[in-house]
Amino acid sequence: VISTKGKAVFIGGPEFVTGIILWAIVGTVIYTTAGMAVMEADLTPGPRFLPLVVAVILSLLTILYWREAWKNREQGIQFPGINQLARPAAFFGIALLIVLLWDFLGAMPVVLLVSFLEIKFLEKHSWQHSLLVAVILCAFIYGIFEGVLGISLPQGIF
Amino acid sequence: METIQLLLQGFSVALEPANLLVCAIGVIVGTLVGALPGIGPTGAIAMLLAATYKLGAESAIIMLAGIYYGTQYGGTVTSVLMGVPGESSSVVTTLDGYQLAKQGKAGKALGIAAVGSFIGGTISVIGLMLVGPNLAQLALIFGPAEYFALMMLAFSLVTAFTGKSMVRGFIALCVGLLLSMVGQDVMTGVPRFTFDNVTLLDGIDFLPIGVGLFGLAEAIESFESGQRRSFVKADLNWRKVMPCWQDIRETFMPMLRGTFLGFLAGTLPGVGATMASFLSYGVEQRVSKTPEKFGKGALAGVAGPETANNAVTGAAFIPMLSLGIPAGASSALLLGALLMFGLQPGPTLFQDAPAVVWGLIASMYIGNLMLVIINMAFIPGIVKVMEKIQPYLATVVLLLAVLGVYSFRSSTTDIVIMLLAGLVGYGMKKVQIPSAPVILGLLLGGMAEISLRQALTISKGSLLIFVEKPVAAGFLVVAILSIALATLTLKGKGKALRSEDVEG
């Protein structure tokens, strides 16, 4: 948020959101350990002792984090623009395909598909070039993991 | 005498053909990783950590260590030929190395850096060999109170000096500590933070978190800029790279000073190779008779820092092997590798697994020799391989990360955790929260909690046990002092920045 004099009056959005997430973590720790003992009858620490200590420290650190962000609000962190996020998001989106197709298609077809998509659409190479590199990568991965290391990878429907 | 015997035993392990091969693979991968901007030693170790599981403890540690110290050699290549550091400890090398390359002296800069790296790396392994076992012997007397205090010292040192803000470092540490508490409480069996999920009862393994935070997050970030720089064209055959007698004479003292500074920095958790290289550069500039040459192609400005960042590598193993305390993110992952093989880093490791420890030490002598040969004779080959790999780096990182994590225990859930950790790691980079303390907290959190609770059980709940035990009290005092020092340093930096702003 920028005032009319051109000076920021509030911390950056990402820093604000980070603080909220940290508070949520603190809340979760306190809530989910509510039924556990902080100290046992013989005055030794119980299972809630350290989580509670860390949660209290984290809540204090969050306040300090916001304070620090406010002091440096002139150089406040801003949310990246869509252009800046597009390629990292596409990379991550293609990576998610691995989880979705891993057990169904099997490891090698997924490796082939994902490497082809990454090279074709993110690195912007030609169809032939992308396919060739994807096949080479697939062979390399197969050789290392199945051949050399003897790791059994999922076969999927094939 | 005993040390020599153990070292010979280590050489018998390191010289086995399979171990020589993994050592060679490790140092070559390390050189390439160090040379490629966009992926650091921590990311590379994280990715290959799981894949080395099938190799066995000795071979795996030899290979991962090879990657670690190999990166320090490789980082020079891009610093000199592209003016872009391959990783953070080579930042300072760009100042004079790139200038030398533009003056047609790239071979000279790379040759001197390789020789300096060899000297720094080898002397630091000698230091590790002499100091490590003795420190471990001393640490055998530690009880739970001393251990807890030692953990606090490691947390404070690594966190206080990581990143630009201590608050952000400690936030990351707290998150790591909370992650280490997921699963059944070891002392009472009560499940914590499992949300009725049976798979979480065993806790969260550090591997998918480490691979995600370091390997994948770096790959995601590399897609932001997407710009690639080209290499300075230079004749890099071995005759051009081999330093002449005059160059050696000119850089001998900077190399010795760099070794001393690097070794010292390496033994202190949290200081690391980057700070060592900057310290060395500062010292060389100060003692030089021609300080005006620095930044314009001074050979000492390459030799000192490159020697220092390599001297860190051997020294960083001292607290890790002897005390179970990692000096930084990369050694935290190496510590995780030892844990993965059921070995407990710390005072008893030298006795429990002499073949692993001494095999590792011996392999570091061999690896450093391999590296100096590779970095003097095969630079043109390295440059060619880098040019070929660079466009597909992120894809290779992703595939190795996924397959490495899966191969650890054939779990698709681990892939999901790794992807989530990668996303969180990318977010943490955006809000400038460092990732290294998360791994430190996750790895050491369990042990810290057990030590704390055992100590308080012994003292019947009295915190005075940490003051009454002199060693524990000493560690806690140093921990508090390190935080105070870091606070003052950061305040100083803040003032300097503000005054620069005013002057600017």
Side-chain angles (χ1 to χ4, degrees):
Chain A
V1 181
I2 309 291
S3 77
T4 48
K5 289 177 184 173
K7 278 194 171 183
V9 291
F10 198 60
I11 64 172
E15 287 158 323
F16 180 73
V17 172
T18 305
I20 295 292
I21 292 170
L22 292 172
W23 277 107
I25 292 172
V26 170
T28 308
V29 171
I30 292 170
Y31 179 74
T32 58
T33 58
M36 299 173 198
V38 177
M39 297 298 267
E40 303 289 359
D42 57 353
L43 284 179
T44 57
R48 199 188 188 198
F49 179 76
L50 201 59
L52 203 61
V53 170
V54 175
V56 170
I57 294 172
L58 187 58
S59 62
L60 294 173
L61 285 168
T62 306
I63 295 169
L64 291 175
Y65 172 74
W66 271 344
R67 181 176 166 267
E68 193 178 272
W70 188 77
K71 280 176 87 176
N72 297 313
R73 61 193 181 282
E74 302 292 307
Q75 299 98 41
I77 302 166
Q78 298 304 319
F79 282 112
I82 290 178
N83 285 344
Q84 198 186 346
L85 275 182
R87 294 183 79 230
F91 173 74
F92 191 76
I94 295 172
L96 278 180
L97 278 180
I98 296 174
V99 178
L100 297 174
L101 302 173
W102 188 252
D103 290 320
F104 175 66
L105 279 184
M108 282 306 118
V110 171
V111 167
L112 186 70
L113 177 71
V114 166
S115 42
F116 173 76
L117 292 175
E118 299 275 7
I119 295 161
K120 172 71 193 120
F121 296 105
L122 286 172
E123 301 293 350
K124 306 254 192 308
H125 288 285
S126 68
W127 289 93
Q128 294 94 322
H129 183 99
S130 305
L131 195 60
L132 179 69
V133 175
V135 169
I136 292 169
L137 275 177
C138 209
F140 169 74
I141 294 283
Y142 184 83
I144 295 284
F145 284 89
E146 290 254 12
V148 179
L149 298 172
I151 291 158
S152 165
L153 298 170
Q155 300 295 310
I157 52 169
F158 302 104
Chain B
M1 195 63 197
E2 195 195 351
T3 307
I4 301 289
Q5 273 178 349
L6 289 164
L7 182 64
L8 288 175
Q9 190 190 334
F11 270 109
S12 70
V13 173
L15 288 170
E16 280 173 21
N19 288 338
L20 273 179
L21 181 68
V22 293
C23 183
I25 293 171
V27 296
I28 291 169
V29 170
T31 303
L32 290 171
V33 163
L36 286 162
I39 177 165
T42 318
I45 293 170
M47 277 181 322
L48 294 171
L49 189 58
T52 57
Y53 186 62
K54 296 270 174 178
L55 295 175
E58 290 154 19
S59 303
I61 300 299
I62 286 173
M63 184 169 155
L64 294 170
I67 296 172
Y68 174 50
Y69 55 82
T71 50
Q72 304 301 333
Y73 279 75
T76 323
V77 180
T78 33
S79 296
V80 172
L81 297 178
M82 292 169 89
V84 176
E87 29 92 27
S88 59
S89 62
S90 298
V91 169
V92 79
T93 311
T94 56
L95 301 176
D96 287 282
Y98 190 53
Q99 291 302 323
L100 282 165
K102 287 206 287 192
Q103 293 162 20
K105 296 175 188 166
K108 193 183 243 196
L110 289 169
I112 269 307
V115 171
S117 299
F118 176 70
I119 291 172
T122 306
I123 293 178
S124 78
V125 182
I126 296 172
L128 160 67
M129 198 176 75
L130 298 175
V131 179
N134 293 316
L135 188 61
Q137 200 67 34
L138 276 177
L140 279 172
I141 56 159
F142 289 0
E146 284 85 358
Y147 258 109
F148 177 72
L150 184 64
M151 303 281 168
M152 292 301 107
L153 175 61
F155 289 154
S156 63
L157 280 173
V158 174
T159 308
F161 294 102
T162 305
K164 290 172 188 165
S165 151
M166 200 162 49
V167 170
R168 290 164 203 234
F170 278 108
I171 284 174
L173 178 68
C174 285
V175 171
L177 286 172
L178 288 173
L179 284 174
S180 77
M181 293 172 203
V182 174
Q184 272 184 319
D185 172 35
V186 273
M187 294 183 89
T188 60
V190 175
R192 292 185 301 192
F193 315 124
T194 55
F195 305 101
D196 297 328
N197 187 331
V198 182
T199 51
L200 288 177
L201 278 176
D202 288 338
I204 293 180
D205 198 86
F206 91 99
L207 196 78
I209 302 280
V211 176
L213 283 181
F214 295 105
L216 195 64
E218 282 182 28
I220 298 173
E221 197 184 31
S222 73
F223 274 100
E224 263 185 29
S225 58
Q227 288 177 341
R228 291 193 192 104
R229 291 179 68 164
S230 54
F231 292 93
V232 170
K233 295 287 172 209
D235 183 4
L236 295 170
N237 72 50
W238 68 271
R239 282 189 192 85
K240 293 277 180 190
V241 176
M242 188 73 78
C244 63
W245 176 241
Q246 196 195 335
D247 295 339
I248 296 278
R249 221 173 47 183
E250 191 186 325
T251 54
F252 184 69
M253 287 313 288
M255 284 181 194
L256 278 191
R257 285 188 288 263
T259 303
F260 174 73
L261 284 171
F263 188 79
L264 205 64
T267 51
L268 299 171
V271 179
T274 308
M275 205 181 282
S277 60
F278 273 96
L279 272 175
S280 168
Y281 191 84
V283 167
E284 290 315 319
Q285 198 171 16
R286 193 153 291 181
V287 300
S288 172
K289 286 174 186 161
T290 52
E292 71 282 358
K293 281 190 181 171
F294 278 73
K296 293 170 189 160
L299 212 49
V302 175
E306 280 303 315
T307 310
N309 67 29
N310 279 274
V312 166
T313 55
F317 281 95
I318 295 174
M320 197 268 272
L321 294 175
S322 312
L323 304 173
I325 300 297
S330 299
S331 47
L333 291 173
L334 289 166
L335 185 138
L338 288 168
L339 292 172
M340 189 172 82
F341 288 105
L343 300 168
Q344 183 61 56
T348 55
L349 186 69
F350 281 85
Q351 290 166 3
D352 294 345
V356 175
V357 176
W358 288 97
L360 166 70
I361 292 172
S363 79
M364 290 173 80
Y365 286 109
I366 299 167
N368 271 294
L369 194 62
M370 285 178 181
L371 279 163
V372 75
I373 295 168
I374 291 167
N375 280 272
M376 289 181 80
F378 301 108
I379 290 283
I382 293 171
V383 171
K384 267 192 191 139
V385 172
M386 280 166 55
E387 282 178 324
K388 294 276 180 217
I389 294 178
Q390 210 183 355
Y392 318 112
L393 186 63
T395 309
V396 173
V397 167
L398 173 67
L399 296 178
L400 286 177
V402 168
L403 282 135
V405 164
Y406 181 81
S407 59
F408 178 50
R409 50 183 184 188
S410 302
S411 162
T412 314
T413 313
D414 281 348
I415 302 179
V416 177
I417 293 174
M418 187 268 292
L419 289 175
L420 285 175
L423 204 59
V424 171
Y426 174 67
M428 286 171 71
K429 279 173 186 275
K430 293 284 106 187
V431 292
Q432 294 166 4
I433 292 179
S435 303
V438 178
I439 286 295
L440 189 72
L442 179 58
L443 275 172
L444 299 185
M447 212 167 17
E449 185 177 15
I450 292 172
S451 303
L452 171 69
R453 287 165 74 177
Q454 282 175 340
L456 291 177
T457 304
I458 293 167
S459 70
K460 295 193 171 61
S462 168
L463 287 168
L464 285 176
I465 189 170
F466 299 110
V467 185
E468 286 162 354
K469 302 248 179 192
V471 177
F475 285 148
L476 290 177
V477 168
V478 179
I480 292 164
L481 286 177
S482 71
I483 294 172
L485 180 68
T487 310
L488 289 174
T489 313
L490 289 168
K491 271 194 176 172
K493 273 185 193 170
K495 273 180 192 167
L497 277 177
R498 277 195 289 277
S499 60
E500 272 172 26
D501 288 345
V502 173
E503 284 162 24

